[in-house]
Amino acid sequence: MNQQPVKGDGGSGPASSDGRFAKEEVQTKEAIRALYELYSNDIYRYARMTLCDSGDAYDVVQEVFVRALRSWPAYRQDAQVKTWLMSIARNYMVDLLRKKRTERRYITAAELPDVGDPSTAMDVVMEIQDALHQLKDNYRQVVILRHIENLSLQETATILGWSQNRVRNATHRAVKKLQEILSSTTGEVNIKHDVRA
Amino acid sequence: MMSERELLKKLSVATNVKMPPDKQPSIWESIEQRMDYTRSFKRMRRPVRILGFSAAAAVLAAVVGGGVYLFSDHGGPSGAAIPQYTTGGSAPAPAFAIPTAIQTISMSSDTPARMMLPAKDPNSAEQNVLTWLRSATPYAGKVPESSNVGTLHGYMGPAQLNMVSTDGQAVSIEPASYLTKAAGGQIQVQYVQDVIVYSFGSEKMYLHAPELFAWLKNDEWKTEFGMH
């Protein structure tokens, strides 16, 4: 996942002819296509776990790569390309979440087949999603980025626009809160099992 | 309470979540179509940058004026009548440029979210549309304006065909329609029978094209477009 498409000379100066425009467009498209192959599943997972809706997650994937195509000539490669894409996704989802706040969605069984990888333990994923949605937005973000996307402190800080210290503290608190949530859920399940027995 | 180690193990399961394999190519296809469509509009804006707005507007006015002159019932300098445009074999060629070949073709659905749907068999769809366009004739009648229906929270109107020709010209086609407000505040879409709106750049032309109209309005296109 460390390989990055090489940028062409597209961003270095004004285009002088239609031929050059066409060449730059083809180069950009090829570069973004390569990024899509590498990172579209990561963007999907990030969106899916944040928004809890596969339809919205597909929209995010599409929008992120359209925006990446448009801003590729201005991308300065001073950030890891995955971090750059995740930042685009994060910014887009902030708007989406704001709009959706009034119509909070719940996980439904109908969404199950859309998660994709058949080897994934679906009950665990659903349990995690449900628990994540009981966290406040900031906590949910750090848990997804640090422990599901496995990004470093620095990468997470870049995506969220926070200091590394803030990421560290928020992650610590979020993990504690998540432990509490999941423990209480497990407890409820155990009690039900006891009653049945 | 669940240990941190147990929690992290659980979270790592979610790392395997992926898109279904068939979804990945179809989303990329939609991305490409959105970009091709945007790019072709950018190309059309380029002459405005090169010529300057006034010069580009003058050129556009000349082209449109020429088209209007061609289709209008007007007399020559000596007062002799010049035949009107007819559908007969000797009729002059239409003033709108029918694309000779198509680079991309897609439909924007008539749903509030306006999903963009690719063609299942682009070649066949292109051929049908081009054939109908070649037999289209300019529509001289009046198309009513939409009533003031207030703010709509989603698209309300017919499905739209989007094409980009091989020379980068973006064209959109939809049945000619307008909105009316019925009793009880209900909003209705009214159609002008057999007439389509052919849009390219900032220009719009009304064309009499019964087959294309029926294909668009009666949802016949739905058998040929959709996510793979």
Side-chain angles (χ1 to χ4, degrees):
Chain A
M1 296 294 262
N2 289 330
Q3 58 189 109
Q4 289 189 14
V6 179
K7 263 184 102 169
D9 59 352
S12 60
S16 55
S17 68
D18 273 1
R20 174 124 182 241
F21 267 123
K23 197 179 163 198
E24 283 173 11
E25 277 171 9
V26 170
Q27 281 175 342
T28 301
K29 215 168 182 176
E30 278 172 4
I32 300 296
R33 173 79 206 224
L35 293 182
Y36 183 81
E37 297 290 339
L38 283 171
Y39 300 122
S40 57
N41 273 317
D42 297 332
I43 303 292
Y44 168 75
R45 187 169 47 247
Y46 177 31
R48 161 91 203 191
M49 299 310 283
T50 303
L51 302 171
C52 210
D53 183 289
S54 50
D56 286 344
Y58 297 137
D59 281 352
V60 171
V61 174
Q62 190 179 127
E63 190 61 33
V64 164
F65 286 93
V66 166
R67 289 183 185 193
L69 264 162
R70 283 183 191 140
S71 50
W72 180 247
Y75 168 57
R76 287 178 296 132
Q77 292 193 304
D78 50 1
Q80 280 287 319
V81 76
K82 184 179 172 184
T83 313
W84 176 59
L85 292 171
M86 290 292 216
S87 304
I88 298 174
R90 156 83 182 154
N91 290 336
Y92 180 57
M93 283 194 291
V94 166
D95 293 340
L96 267 184
L97 282 169
R98 207 173 284 145
K99 284 178 198 158
K100 286 167 73 75
R101 195 144 290 157
T102 49
E103 39 155 335
R104 186 156 184 149
R105 305 286 280 269
Y106 292 91
I107 306 162
T108 63
E111 289 178 42
L112 276 173
D114 275 354
V115 175
D117 188 347
S119 65
T120 303
M122 284 313 307
D123 52 340
V124 178
V125 173
M126 297 298 281
E127 189 187 359
I128 292 167
Q129 258 192 187
D130 199 22
L132 283 173
H133 270 261
Q134 294 176 54
L135 291 178
K136 59 181 187 179
D137 286 350
N138 284 348
Y139 283 5
R140 185 162 68 232
Q141 288 295 307
V142 288
V143 171
I144 294 171
L145 294 172
R146 292 284 286 126
H147 295 301
I148 295 179
E149 292 305 316
N150 295 315
L151 297 178
S152 67
L153 262 182
Q154 194 190 337
E155 287 168 332
T156 306
T158 306
I159 291 166
L160 298 176
W162 296 357
S163 67
Q164 289 191 35
N165 230 6
R166 187 175 168 196
V167 173
R168 193 180 293 115
N169 290 336
T171 309
H172 179 72
R173 287 185 194 133
V175 165
K176 286 276 169 244
K177 185 76 191 158
L178 207 52
Q179 279 176 278
E180 280 173 32
I181 293 167
L182 284 168
S183 298
S184 66
T185 316
T186 312
E188 279 170 25
V189 173
N190 287 341
I191 289 165
K192 280 176 193 164
H193 283 189
D194 286 347
V195 171
R196 276 184 202 152
Chain B
M1 193 160 92
M2 179 185 280
S3 71
E4 189 172 331
R5 196 188 164 128
E6 279 176 299
L7 172 69
L8 298 183
K9 198 176 161 192
K10 257 192 178 181
L11 289 173
S12 70
V13 174
T15 308
N16 298 326
V17 171
K18 285 180 189 162
M19 277 189 272
D22 59 320
K23 206 76 195 173
Q24 214 174 1
S26 71
I27 292 178
W28 176 255
E29 211 168 299
S30 303
I31 293 168
E32 275 191 314
Q33 288 194 350
R34 275 179 68 182
M35 289 316 297
D36 287 341
Y37 197 62
T38 313
R39 189 185 57 198
S40 54
F41 274 114
K42 274 188 192 162
R43 276 197 182 140
M44 280 189 293
R45 283 206 300 269
R46 206 174 300 152
V48 176
R49 285 205 301 271
I50 294 164
L51 295 170
F53 183 78
S54 310
V59 170
L60 188 65
V63 171
V64 175
V68 170
Y69 181 82
L70 187 64
F71 291 123
S72 61
D73 181 11
H74 46 75
S78 62
I82 291 176
Q84 259 187 292
Y85 180 85
T86 66
T87 54
S90 59
F96 65 96
I98 299 170
T100 49
I102 305 293
Q103 199 181 111
T104 65
I105 186 165
S106 65
M107 287 295 303
S108 297
S109 69
D110 50 0
T111 54
R114 305 217 75 187
M115 261 183 89
M116 195 173 257
L117 303 164
K120 290 171 187 166
D121 179 357
N123 286 338
S124 152
E126 284 161 24
Q127 285 317 309
N128 286 339
V129 171
L130 290 179
T131 306
W132 292 327
L133 276 178
R134 284 187 197 110
S135 61
T137 57
Y139 174 71
K142 196 170 161 58
V143 176
E145 288 202 4
S146 288
S147 315
N148 184 9
V149 292
T151 309
L152 299 174
H153 297 286
Y155 176 73
M156 195 174 174
Q160 189 182 59
L161 175 74
N162 303 307
M163 301 190 295
V164 178
S165 65
T166 43
D167 61 355
Q169 168 91 296
V171 172
S172 68
I173 298 169
E174 63 183 74
S177 68
Y178 55 98
L179 299 178
T180 55
K181 216 169 184 176
Q186 204 183 17
I187 297 163
Q188 290 178 336
V189 183
Q190 307 283 353
Y191 292 91
V192 184
Q193 188 61 38
D194 295 339
V195 177
I196 56 139
V197 189
Y198 182 92
S199 310
F200 53 104
S202 57
E203 281 308 302
K204 274 186 180 186
M205 292 190 71
Y206 291 94
L207 303 174
H208 186 257
E211 286 159 310
L212 189 46
F213 175 88
W215 185 74
L216 288 165
K217 198 228 161 214
N218 301 335
D219 289 344
E220 288 164 25
W221 60 268
K222 283 187 179 170
T223 57
E224 295 172 55
F225 288 77
M227 287 294 179
H228 301 298

